[in-house]
Amino acid sequence: MNRKLIRPTLAEVRERAERDTRRGSNNDQNRKRVPPEQTHAESFYYKKQMDNKTRMVLVLQDGERLSGTIEWYDRNCIKLHRLPGPNLLVLKHNIKYIHKDDSRLAAYPTTETAAAAEEEESLEQVDDEEEVEEGDEEEVEEEEEQ
């Protein structure tokens, strides 16, 4: 049995390469892009908290809680400004999570929350007065029936 080896011609190889490049460009356009390495969300959040001087709580990996305002940050650490104690430079890999310090907000209500609380109290007083008036009307009707 004698087999003959069939090789493609050089022209066929070039045509196939051209077709593959044309198909590849279409696939690149349809393919989803890889998301960027850095979204800058973290730096935006730190910048916002620094500008507003928001009191933050840093919970460390061992459960220790540090509170203060963020003075500055970089890729690896955060400088925490604390009033009752010394300023601290905390490495980010030691931080479990960060959140706003709500205990201070509860102790010192802002004008908006104070106004809302006053409005709510006044509405409750109006409701109580209406209930008393309705109760008086029922008593008058009972007396008239007797």
Side-chain angles (χ1 to χ4, degrees):
M1 199 164 153
N2 204 1
R3 294 188 183 178
K4 187 176 180 182
L5 182 61
I6 301 172
R7 291 186 183 174
T9 63
L10 186 58
E12 290 175 352
V13 171
R14 286 182 182 161
E15 286 177 15
R16 192 176 300 160
E18 287 176 11
R19 273 187 274 142
D20 289 345
T21 57
R22 279 186 252 139
R23 285 185 197 162
S25 64
N26 289 339
N27 288 340
D28 289 342
Q29 291 173 355
N30 296 334
R31 189 178 297 181
K32 289 185 179 179
R33 292 193 171 144
V34 177
E37 185 74 25
Q38 181 72 18
T39 61
H40 304 289
E42 181 182 21
S43 58
F44 176 76
Y45 181 75
Y46 289 144
K47 179 86 172 105
K48 182 179 176 186
Q49 303 311 328
M50 287 169 43
D51 291 345
N52 294 334
K53 296 191 183 213
T54 307
R55 290 189 50 85
M56 304 294 291
V57 175
L58 280 65
V59 180
L60 303 181
Q61 294 291 345
D62 62 357
E64 185 178 355
R65 301 168 66 91
L66 304 171
S67 64
T69 57
I70 298 174
E71 230 176 88
W72 62 264
Y73 69 95
D74 65 6
R75 185 195 294 173
N76 299 318
C77 59
I78 295 174
K79 184 177 181 186
L80 193 67
H81 178 74
R82 303 188 313 163
L83 293 177
N87 297 344
L88 296 175
L89 189 65
V90 182
L91 296 174
K92 285 185 180 177
H93 72 270
N94 290 328
I95 299 173
K96 194 174 194 177
Y97 59 91
I98 300 174
H99 63 88
K100 292 181 182 178
D101 189 1
D102 295 333
S103 63
R104 185 172 164 259
L105 295 175
Y108 305 103
T110 61
T111 55
E112 293 174 3
T113 56
E118 288 175 11
E119 183 178 333
E120 188 174 316
E121 287 177 13
S122 64
L123 290 175
E124 288 175 1
Q125 289 175 352
V126 169
D127 289 341
D128 291 342
E129 289 173 2
E130 288 176 0
E131 289 175 7
V132 170
E133 289 175 3
E134 290 173 4
D136 291 342
E137 291 173 4
E138 291 174 3
E139 290 176 8
V140 171
E141 289 176 6
E142 289 176 6
E143 289 175 3
E144 290 175 0
E145 289 176 3
Q146 293 175 356

